[in-house]
Amino acid sequence: MNPRDEHPDAQWIGEEAGPIVRPYVLTRGRTEPTRGRFDLITLAVTVRAPSPGELGVTPECHAILRLCRQPQSVAEIAAHVDLPAGTVRVLLSDLLDHGLVTLQEPQSETDMQDERMYRAVLDGLRAL
């Protein structure tokens, strides 16, 4: 039986994709990462592949791990896997708990206010 016959007005069923999975289902209702600070520019890198049958590694997590073989920001990951950034943050936190990814935090603002850095940027621009 076609799902549209049962629910003719349902918008949550796609013609090709089938039922849409809500992001809170992917995170088991969690809205915040359990550990780690995840700015949109935080970089994630896969450090090891999950062992076969490792619990808690969902298909979405596998997609993130494949993508993060090269460093990727939270924003890039969210765009590539077509999930909200908040959902990606929670999934990255799970992967961090499993020891499957490592994070590189963005530089703090105090580091970015170093006058030497600005001078180096200006010198580089002048050299162009």
Side-chain angles (χ1 to χ4, degrees):
M1 171 174 256
N2 186 344
R4 287 208 178 243
D5 295 338
E6 293 176 30
H7 308 283
D9 296 328
Q11 296 298 316
W12 55 272
I13 298 176
E15 288 292 326
E16 295 175 21
I20 296 173
V21 177
R22 301 285 183 204
Y24 62 82
V25 173
L26 300 175
T27 63
R28 296 182 301 278
R30 296 169 296 145
T31 59
E32 295 292 325
T34 55
R35 67 182 261 215
R37 183 174 151 245
F38 298 92
D39 291 333
L40 288 176
I41 58 174
T42 298
L43 297 177
V45 181
T46 300
V47 292
R48 72 172 181 87
S51 45
E54 189 166 341
L55 295 177
V57 183
T58 64
E60 293 77 18
C61 288
H62 280 283
I64 291 171
L65 289 170
R66 280 190 302 278
L67 185 64
C68 291
R69 289 177 184 150
Q70 298 293 318
Q72 300 287 325
S73 71
V74 172
E76 291 171 315
I77 296 166
H80 284 289
V81 297
D82 198 25
L83 289 171
T87 302
V88 170
R89 286 180 177 117
V90 173
L91 295 176
L92 281 171
S93 175
D94 292 346
L95 294 172
L96 188 62
D97 287 342
H98 285 281
L100 299 173
V101 297
T102 186
L103 301 177
Q104 182 179 348
E105 305 286 338
Q107 286 186 332
S108 68
E109 288 185 33
T110 56
D111 293 341
M112 296 183 74
Q113 292 180 2
D114 184 6
E115 187 176 333
R116 289 175 294 163
M117 191 258 319
Y118 288 113
R119 291 204 184 280
V121 170
L122 285 173
D123 291 343
L125 290 171
R126 286 185 188 120
L128 292 176

